[in-house]
Amino acid sequence: MPLTAPTLDLTADPIELTAALVDIPSVSGDEAALAGALEQALRTQAPHLEVVRCGDAVLARTHLGRERRVLLAGHIDTVPVAGNLPSRRDGDLLHGCGTSDMKAGDAVIAHLAATLTRPRYDLTVVLYDCEEVEAARNGLGRIERELPEWLRADLAILGEPTGGAVEAGCQGTLRAEIRTRGRRAHSARSWLGDNAVHGAGAVLARLTAYTPREVDIDGCGYREGLQAVRITGGVAGNVVPDECVVTVNFRFAPDRDADAAVAHVREVFDGFDLAITDLSPGALPGLSTSAAQEFLAATGTTARAKYGWTDVARFAGLGIPALNYGPGDPNLAHTREEHVDTSVISRCASVLTRFLT
Amino acid sequence: MPLTAPTLDLTADPIELTAALVDIPSVSGDEAALAGALEQALRTQAPHLEVVRCGDAVLARTHLGRERRVLLAGHIDTVPVAGNLPSRRDGDLLHGCGTSDMKAGDAVIAHLAATLTRPRYDLTVVLYDCEEVEAARNGLGRIERELPEWLRADLAILGEPTGGAVEAGCQGTLRAEIRTRGRRAHSARSWLGDNAVHGAGAVLARLTAYTPREVDIDGCGYREGLQAVRITGGVAGNVVPDECVVTVNFRFAPDRDADAAVAHVREVFDGFDLAITDLSPGALPGLSTSAAQEFLAATGTTARAKYGWTDVARFAGLGIPALNYGPGDPNLAHTREEHVDTSVISRCASVLTRFLT
């Protein structure tokens, strides 16, 4: 624990705490100061919790012998600062890098961990690093490898920005490269060649003709999508290209597992040379468990589908139902204009308090 | 004239002279040594010629008062050396950088200029620099601007590699960028976007459906071609792309002028955003003139179409009929294995001698 860690008051209003967290910059890979401040605050202000540090993640939990355990998780890193620090309050809005994604969620989680000394579920809090960068560096993945017993729970709630809505599960994501090949030739004698870029027209035609599926799972409507996210081909301005690569991204509802998603994409592009380059299965909403039902009751609302992939899928992979629920606005994530509506911070804090006590 | 210029014997057999030219490296932009050697040799060994130096081009001409003038031209630069110097003789083959493209042609031209003291046409010889690089640096273009009277002639013969065949005129070349636009969105919510790469499928469909024209001009069969030479689109692996650019190259027969070529491409891609990025008109074969007919008679053969663009188009632009005729093998140009069949050097030299005397 660095001696220089700023002091955080976890008992303060979560809105104030959000501003304090935002004012300790924590771009991915540079979370040490914020992790140190959170660790110090939890150790000194929440003596009812067991606290551990794992890299630049901070974990804390109760040992009350409750029948069930709820895990609250949030990443503490942000995308690069874009001239939007320190935080700035303007009426109901709090502006600054990380306000929505997702220090408002972190503030609610840390505040509840410190102040709810007798929750009705045993409580685990995971505040982790490196979510905004490549999966191999993800702090939650490191915890899964190094401290797997810390992730055991009956329900996981991620404080990712959902605008205060409950977003259940998440869709999976698959990327594939579809490669057409031809024969190089000088473009002045193009009949000697075979144009691989022209050949990619058939790939694009299948994408254009594709009708994405919509499916209802546990009352949540998922919408799939199959999109070209990149196309590249060409050798020189006077050469018939002998190769073209179309990169497609398939976002699939969580009723398909990874193998089913691969099989579907291979079927759509039957006859083409296709290589899977990236594959993350989704997460079923898991709303049928009692803990999830109790959480929904506390919110007084129903869940909707989460379209984007989030770390809830890691929990689903461990057999733990997981939801996204946080005060940030997903549409503002990663923007220079990032801000959060402070009234949603207060609402999320009181909903979670109602659920947990 | 640098004092260090190696001595060339222009009266030697053109095969020996080819080897001597090849052994003075002259990659584009670095032709001074070779230009100096050629200038010195012409001044000392061909007193019947007027000689001028223009940059790293060397020009020479007779003033015999003939009714007609024939111009022989060749570029003296090469593509970068690829471990293929000095020249190496292996039976009938002479290996080395520039043997085919086009120092064998230059050797024939310089040899005839020095040895045919009483040609039946007045003779102009243009040995120029920087043909293998961007058009703005082309030595023939500089001569056209600075010494335009030196390019006046009734027939121009370029010694570009044709394998000893007569290739008439050349096709034009046009490049255009066809841009499709859409709306960016996160690929997890692709229905909020509009995929510009998918939109490019319609561009590729038109290319695939396109039937290139073949046309006979002056007995030469030209074959047009319309090819995608590059395609590029994509923002990130999780973003629906909002722009895609297809670069097409149209090679057009010389009965279309530049405006007609542009109009044709615009018609093919009617409805798309299209920008012309490069345009060089072709050259009509011009075989009906008496000088061209006399040259063909000397070769004992007929002309065929030149598909690739060459500097003959510059002469055509000046109203001068121009042909490609040289001993090099066009298929070996720019290759590491570049070589020339020495028997074709001898044949070209004797055909040109027959024509000019």
Side-chain angles (χ1 to χ4, degrees):
Chain A
M1 173 172 60
L3 290 174
T4 55
T7 300
L8 294 170
D9 179 4
L10 302 184
T11 64
D13 185 292
I15 297 170
E16 306 309 318
L17 183 54
T18 299
L21 296 182
V22 169
D23 289 341
I24 304 175
S26 57
V27 176
S28 308
D30 203 15
E31 302 96 335
L34 181 55
L38 284 164
E39 180 188 2
Q40 182 179 37
L42 284 165
R43 287 195 190 278
T44 55
Q45 298 164 39
H48 65 292
L49 298 177
E50 176 193 7
V51 178
V52 302
R53 175 85 174 254
C54 170
D56 282 334
V58 183
L59 301 91
R61 63 182 171 190
T62 60
H63 291 287
L64 300 169
R66 306 291 193 231
E67 201 174 308
R68 289 171 299 169
R69 177 174 288 278
V70 169
L71 185 149
L72 303 178
H75 64 83
I76 62 170
D77 61 318
T78 70
V79 294
V81 180
N84 50 1
L85 282 187
S87 63
R88 179 173 59 83
R89 183 75 180 264
D90 180 15
D92 277 349
L93 303 183
L94 179 69
H95 296 263
C97 180
T99 44
S100 262
D101 190 11
M102 56 166 281
K103 291 184 176 177
D106 296 330
V108 171
I109 291 169
H111 175 77
L112 296 181
T115 56
L116 299 183
T117 53
R118 304 293 297 168
R120 59 192 282 244
Y121 307 92
D122 262 310
L123 196 61
T124 301
V125 162
V126 179
L127 296 164
Y128 62 101
D129 54 304
C130 284
E131 191 270 350
E132 297 288 8
V133 289
E134 61 271 26
R137 292 171 62 193
N138 186 295
L140 199 57
R142 187 183 63 247
I143 292 165
E144 193 180 336
R145 292 188 300 273
E146 297 180 8
L147 302 172
E149 78 285 1
W150 272 83
L151 298 187
R152 277 188 214 127
D154 296 282
L155 175 67
I157 299 173
L158 260 73
E160 288 278 0
T162 63
V166 180
E167 294 188 340
C170 75
Q171 297 204 125
T173 177
L174 171 159
R175 282 185 195 83
E177 288 182 354
I178 302 158
R179 200 170 301 266
T180 57
R181 291 198 171 80
R183 195 169 54 252
R184 220 180 262 209
H186 197 293
S187 61
R189 296 173 204 84
S190 54
W191 53 92
L192 300 177
D194 175 18
N195 196 314
V197 172
H198 297 192
V203 175
L204 301 185
R206 293 205 191 170
L207 283 164
T208 305
Y210 184 79
T211 304
R213 190 176 64 117
E214 303 191 12
V215 60
D216 188 287
I217 306 171
D218 283 1
C220 298
Y222 288 89
R223 294 181 71 167
E224 298 188 328
L226 179 60
Q227 295 285 318
V229 290
R230 186 168 297 283
I231 187 167
T232 176
V235 176
N238 60 357
V239 175
V240 175
D242 56 349
E243 184 175 277
C244 186
V245 178
V246 182
T247 307
V248 299
N249 184 205
F250 181 41
R251 299 288 179 146
F252 53 98
D255 61 337
R256 299 195 205 256
D257 64 13
D259 288 346
V262 169
H264 179 69
V265 170
R266 288 202 182 279
E267 186 186 340
V268 171
F269 296 106
D270 185 40
F272 288 99
D273 174 357
L274 182 148
I276 306 294
T277 56
D278 185 35
L279 179 56
S280 298
L284 284 164
L287 296 176
S288 55
T289 64
S290 59
Q293 289 296 325
E294 287 159 20
F295 174 64
L296 279 175
T299 65
T301 181
T302 55
R304 65 185 187 204
K306 180 73 177 176
Y307 296 127
W309 191 92
T310 77
D311 273 324
V312 297
R314 293 181 189 273
F315 291 102
L318 298 170
I320 302 167
L323 301 162
N324 302 280
Y325 176 71
D329 181 338
N331 296 323
L332 295 171
H334 304 192
T335 69
R336 198 179 288 272
E337 300 72 31
E338 183 173 359
H339 59 258
V340 65
D341 184 334
T342 55
S343 68
V344 187
I345 300 177
S346 302
R347 178 155 54 86
C348 284
S350 62
V351 162
L352 281 167
T353 302
R354 185 157 62 239
F355 168 55
L356 293 169
T357 52
Chain B
M1 172 172 62
L3 290 173
T4 54
T7 301
L8 294 170
D9 179 2
L10 303 184
T11 65
D13 186 292
I15 297 170
E16 305 310 318
L17 184 53
T18 300
L21 296 182
V22 169
D23 289 340
I24 303 174
S26 57
V27 176
S28 308
D30 203 14
E31 302 95 335
L34 181 54
L38 285 164
E39 181 188 2
Q40 183 179 36
L42 285 165
R43 287 194 191 277
T44 56
Q45 298 163 39
H48 64 291
L49 298 176
E50 177 193 4
V51 178
V52 302
R53 176 84 174 256
C54 171
D56 282 333
V58 183
L59 301 91
R61 64 182 169 189
T62 61
H63 291 288
L64 300 169
R66 306 293 193 229
E67 201 173 307
R68 289 170 299 170
R69 178 175 288 277
V70 169
L71 186 150
L72 304 178
H75 65 82
I76 62 170
D77 61 319
T78 69
V79 294
V81 180
N84 49 1
L85 282 188
S87 64
R88 178 174 59 81
R89 182 75 181 263
D90 180 16
D92 277 350
L93 304 184
L94 179 68
H95 296 262
C97 179
T99 45
S100 261
D101 190 9
M102 57 165 281
K103 291 185 176 177
D106 296 330
V108 170
I109 292 169
H111 175 77
L112 297 181
T115 56
L116 299 183
T117 53
R118 303 293 297 167
R120 58 192 284 242
Y121 307 93
D122 262 309
L123 196 61
T124 302
V125 163
V126 179
L127 296 164
Y128 63 101
D129 55 303
C130 284
E131 190 270 350
E132 298 287 8
V133 288
E134 61 270 27
R137 292 171 64 192
N138 186 296
L140 200 56
R142 188 182 63 246
I143 292 165
E144 192 180 337
R145 292 188 299 275
E146 297 180 8
L147 302 172
E149 78 286 359
W150 272 84
L151 298 188
R152 278 188 213 127
D154 298 282
L155 175 68
I157 300 173
L158 261 72
E160 288 277 359
T162 63
V166 180
E167 294 189 338
C170 75
Q171 297 203 125
T173 177
L174 172 159
R175 283 185 195 83
E177 288 182 354
I178 302 158
R179 200 171 301 265
T180 57
R181 291 197 171 79
R183 195 169 54 251
R184 221 179 262 209
H186 196 293
S187 60
R189 296 173 203 83
S190 53
W191 53 92
L192 300 177
D194 176 17
N195 196 313
V197 172
H198 296 192
V203 176
L204 300 185
R206 293 206 191 170
L207 284 164
T208 305
Y210 184 80
T211 304
R213 190 177 64 117
E214 303 192 11
V215 60
D216 188 287
I217 306 171
D218 284 0
C220 298
Y222 288 90
R223 294 181 72 166
E224 297 188 328
L226 179 61
Q227 296 285 319
V229 290
R230 186 169 297 283
I231 187 166
T232 176
V235 177
N238 59 357
V239 175
V240 175
D242 56 349
E243 184 175 279
C244 185
V245 178
V246 183
T247 306
V248 299
N249 183 205
F250 180 42
R251 299 287 180 146
F252 53 98
D255 60 338
R256 299 195 204 256
D257 64 13
D259 288 346
V262 169
H264 179 69
V265 169
R266 289 203 182 279
E267 186 186 340
V268 171
F269 297 105
D270 185 38
F272 288 98
D273 175 356
L274 183 148
I276 306 293
T277 56
D278 184 36
L279 178 57
S280 297
L284 285 163
L287 296 177
S288 56
T289 65
S290 59
Q293 289 296 323
E294 288 160 20
F295 174 64
L296 279 175
T299 65
T301 181
T302 55
R304 66 185 187 204
K306 181 73 177 177
Y307 297 127
W309 191 92
T310 77
D311 272 325
V312 298
R314 294 182 187 272
F315 292 102
L318 299 170
I320 302 167
L323 302 162
N324 301 281
Y325 176 71
D329 180 339
N331 296 322
L332 295 172
H334 305 191
T335 68
R336 196 180 289 271
E337 300 72 31
E338 183 174 359
H339 58 259
V340 65
D341 183 334
T342 55
S343 69
V344 188
I345 299 177
S346 302
R347 178 155 55 87
C348 285
S350 62
V351 163
L352 281 167
T353 302
R354 185 157 63 236
F355 168 56
L356 293 169
T357 52

